[in-house]
Amino acid sequence: MKLNNLLKTVAFAAATALSLPQAAAAWTPEEPIVLRIGFGAGGETDTMGRVLAATIERQTGWDVVVENRPGGGGVAMLSALVNEAPDGLVLGMAVNIPPLMALSQRPDSVPFTLDSFDYIGTVTVAETALIAGGDATFSSIGELVEFARTEGSAKIAWDAPDAKAILQKIGQQEGVSFRMVKAESGAEMNKLLLGGQVDAAFGTGAHLPFIEEGQMKTIASLSDKRLSSAPDVPTLIESGHDFFIAPYFYIAAPGSLPTGVKTALAYAMDKAVADEAVQTVVQNAVSAPAVNLGPEGTRQMMQDSLGPIGALFAK
């Protein structure tokens, strides 16, 4: 998804949100709504999903039950969700990149397509930084490339395949070697970077205290826009590399929801995402503001992201 396409999507979503009912929707669920989270308990997705569910309960009086359905970065949960009745009583919370990867790499083995779901909205989009030690001799992606060229390679810690793929693509374009070092979490990447075992790493929030202390620095935004935590640091796109990572946390339902049900759910979610409690938890979880693209904006985001994700992982 190009940057201008994403800006159009956000603008469209804002206009859609303004058209939502300003009073309580007519549909009221007669049974508890189950929100299935495609990740395990205690992680950032689980944390945001639970406060979203609790806020919807408080604001609407509905019962919302949270279930964790981890597996495949949310793909397992979505594979089961597609078989549920389209009555608004079972929803799923996922992150866009794993299902888009699955659809682009092995579409014949995935039991759903983008059109299998109705999209209710987004909670946020995580900001991803490329970071280095505070005393590193490079301070930009261009300087990292030259460092790798001079040294013969640069070691990069990664914990997500999309981040790994971006640096590999840049290395291919520039004719330099990036040695990718697998880590299990942001905390482990921080440890490798601070210990001098790698030259650079990725950060999605856990690195920020070290930035404030001067032990690390941000050298590029891997998001589609500059980072709220480092507004002076250019994106990869601004640096001449047409790649970015925009991990959107979104809510989906089985496709073909009745219009009234979809409208009620979208209204409830929009109101909840705007709530101070949700905004605070989201900011703490991913170091980024809460943002809701709405039903059509979320669908458009998914459609616009499928091609670029496929290109990113193409051999």
Side-chain angles (χ1 to χ4, degrees):
M1 181 168 50
K2 305 292 186 182
L3 180 58
N4 61 340
N5 287 342
L6 181 63
L7 293 175
K8 290 177 182 177
T9 296
V10 173
F12 177 80
T16 301
L18 291 174
S19 70
L20 289 173
Q22 297 304 301
W27 178 76
T28 299
E30 297 181 357
E31 301 176 29
I33 294 174
V34 177
L35 175 61
R36 295 176 179 171
I37 297 175
F39 296 84
E44 59 191 18
T45 311
D46 179 65
T47 300
M48 292 187 290
R50 288 180 183 276
V51 73
L52 181 72
T55 302
I56 291 175
E57 278 194 337
R58 171 169 53 82
Q59 292 179 338
T60 64
W62 302 347
D63 290 328
V64 185
V65 179
V66 174
E67 295 180 355
N68 295 96
R69 296 288 185 93
V75 173
M77 180 274 293
L78 293 170
S79 297
L81 181 67
V82 73
N83 294 317
E84 296 291 341
D87 55 12
L89 296 180
V90 183
L91 308 176
M93 183 171 179
V95 182
N96 64 336
I97 291 176
L100 292 173
M101 285 173 54
L103 286 169
S104 62
Q105 292 181 314
R106 46 186 179 89
D108 294 339
S109 65
V110 180
F112 59 81
T113 69
L114 293 184
D115 292 333
S116 299
F117 304 102
D118 275 331
Y119 299 93
I120 309 304
T122 59
V123 180
T124 188
V125 55
E127 298 182 340
T128 305
L130 184 62
I131 57 177
D135 59 353
T137 58
F138 49 86
S139 299
S140 68
I141 184 65
E143 291 177 358
L144 174 60
V145 167
E146 291 309 311
F147 172 87
R149 200 184 311 278
T150 300
E151 298 295 323
S153 69
K155 297 185 293 293
I156 315 293
W158 65 281
D159 69 341
D162 49 346
K164 175 186 178 183
I166 281 185
L167 263 292
Q168 288 177 323
K169 288 287 187 182
I170 291 175
Q172 292 169 7
Q173 288 181 343
E174 298 287 350
V176 299
S177 172
F178 289 132
R179 291 176 55 194
M180 308 305 296
V181 179
K182 181 70 170 69
E184 296 302 322
S185 65
E188 185 177 352
M189 286 192 290
N190 289 342
K191 183 177 179 180
L192 291 170
L193 188 58
L194 292 172
Q197 295 161 278
V198 297
D199 301 301
F202 300 97
T204 56
H207 66 294
L208 291 178
F210 300 103
I211 295 285
E212 294 174 0
E213 295 171 3
Q215 294 178 274
M216 296 181 184
K217 58 184 174 182
T218 302
I219 64 173
S221 166
L222 273 70
S223 297
D224 54 288
K225 55 185 178 296
R226 294 193 179 194
L227 306 169
S228 58
S229 62
D232 296 331
V233 177
T235 66
L236 291 181
I237 296 172
E238 291 175 311
S239 302
H241 301 285
D242 196 18
F243 303 112
F244 69 89
I245 300 172
Y248 276 92
F249 296 75
Y250 70 97
I251 305 292
S256 303
L257 285 178
T259 300
V261 174
K262 183 176 178 179
T263 300
L265 289 170
Y267 175 70
M269 180 167 176
D270 194 59
K271 187 177 179 182
V273 171
D275 188 85
E276 183 177 357
V278 173
Q279 293 180 9
T280 299
V281 168
V282 168
Q283 184 67 46
N284 290 339
V286 296
S287 301
V291 57
N292 180 18
L293 297 181
E296 296 309 315
T298 303
R299 177 178 293 277
Q300 192 66 52
M301 176 273 295
M302 295 293 285
Q303 292 173 343
D304 288 346
S305 300
L306 181 58
I309 286 292
L312 184 59
F313 288 94
K315 299 298 183 182

